[in-house]
């Protein structure tokens, strides 16, 4: 049964960025955390806690509906499949994402979570997990 990425235990995050590095390396072939679909950041302020910007695996993904090039295709169970060579870099998916989890890389191509779970395998504290969506459970 398809699973989607979930932030399960954000309080356990130590900002090691292992998830970001794993995503960038495995999915986008890059060693920069800025090329990761997962972004760990501070919430701001002097005693800031951490936050994770991740795709929530929408069932009727608005990013896929906004993609006129056919680069983002709805995935069974939620989220999208990404066909990188079809991405035109128009940015419509960035504007359509309800959680602002999609960005464009320096080549103008989308950086989007494909729900592969690579990031979860490298998270030492199980902050990120793959779970069946509520509708599938």
């Amino acid at each position: 049964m398809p699973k989607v990425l979930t932030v399960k235990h954000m309080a356990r995050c130590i900002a090691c960025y292992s998830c970001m590095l794993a995503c960038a390396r495995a999915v986008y072939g890059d060693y920069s955390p800025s090329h990761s679909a997962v972004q760990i950041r501070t919430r701001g302020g002097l005693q800031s806690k951490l936050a994770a910007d991740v795709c929530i695996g929408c069932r009727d993904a608005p990013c896929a509906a906004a993609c006129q090039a056919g680069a983002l295709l709805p995935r069974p169970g939620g989220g999208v499949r990404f066909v990188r060579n079809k991405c035109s870099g128009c940015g419509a998916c960035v504007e359509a994402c309800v959680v602002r989890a999609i960005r464009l890389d320096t080549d103008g191509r989308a950086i989007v979570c494909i729900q592969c779970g690579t990031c979860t395998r490298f998270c030492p504290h199980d902050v990120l997990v793959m779970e069946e969506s509520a509708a599938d459970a």
Side-chain angles (χ1 to χ4, degrees):
M1 188 164 292
K3 296 180 178 182
V4 295
L5 180 63
T6 304
V7 180
K8 189 74 171 184
H9 305 287
M10 194 65 220
R12 294 181 185 175
C13 184
I14 59 171
C16 67
Y17 304 121
S18 294
C19 56
M20 294 169 59
L21 292 168
C23 176
R25 185 180 59 246
V27 179
Y28 293 97
D30 196 292
Y31 291 99
S32 171
S34 66
H35 287 96
S36 169
V38 174
Q39 290 295 306
I40 302 296
R41 61 176 174 78
T42 65
R43 290 189 215 166
L46 295 175
Q47 297 179 345
S48 179
K49 294 184 177 179
L50 298 169
D53 295 332
V54 300
C55 173
I56 59 173
C58 300
R59 287 235 169 239
D60 296 317
C63 58
C67 181
Q68 298 299 309
L72 296 176
L73 304 170
R75 178 180 165 268
V80 293
R81 286 189 323 114
F82 181 48
V83 184
R84 185 170 171 79
N85 62 358
K86 287 187 174 182
C87 180
S88 65
C90 68
C93 56
V94 175
E95 296 300 319
C97 179
V98 295
V99 293
R100 304 256 182 238
I102 302 175
R103 294 172 291 106
L104 298 180
D105 67 12
T106 53
D107 296 331
R109 301 287 167 86
I111 297 174
V112 58
C113 179
I114 58 171
Q115 304 293 334
C116 67
T118 298
C119 55
T120 64
R121 291 192 298 275
F122 288 86
C123 180
H125 299 288
D126 297 326
V127 173
L128 303 173
V129 297
M130 295 298 289
E131 288 187 335
E132 294 175 10
S133 63
D136 292 338

